[in-house]
Amino acid sequence: MGSIDGEIPAVWFLISSIGFAVLTFIQYRNTGKNFNTFFLSFMGIIFFISYLILIIFPKT
């Protein structure tokens, strides 16, 4: 396993966004629409967009 050198690999953003999607589903199923559900879905979207940006515009 290589060193990270202070750089965050793009795959961690994808894993985090999937985790937020699962948490959003569980939260929505248990409590319905509330602030926490919207917050978790927003965080999932932000992390997925970050993943796409890192994939589309790689550091040279």
Side-chain angles (χ1 to χ4, degrees), residues 23-43:
L23 289 174
T24 302
F25 174 73
I26 293 170
Q27 177 73 19
Y28 180 75
R29 192 178 63 189
N30 289 339
T31 62
K33 293 181 184 178
N34 61 11
F35 178 75
N36 293 337
T37 306
F38 288 118
F39 178 76
L40 288 171
S41 62
F42 178 72
M43 291 299 292

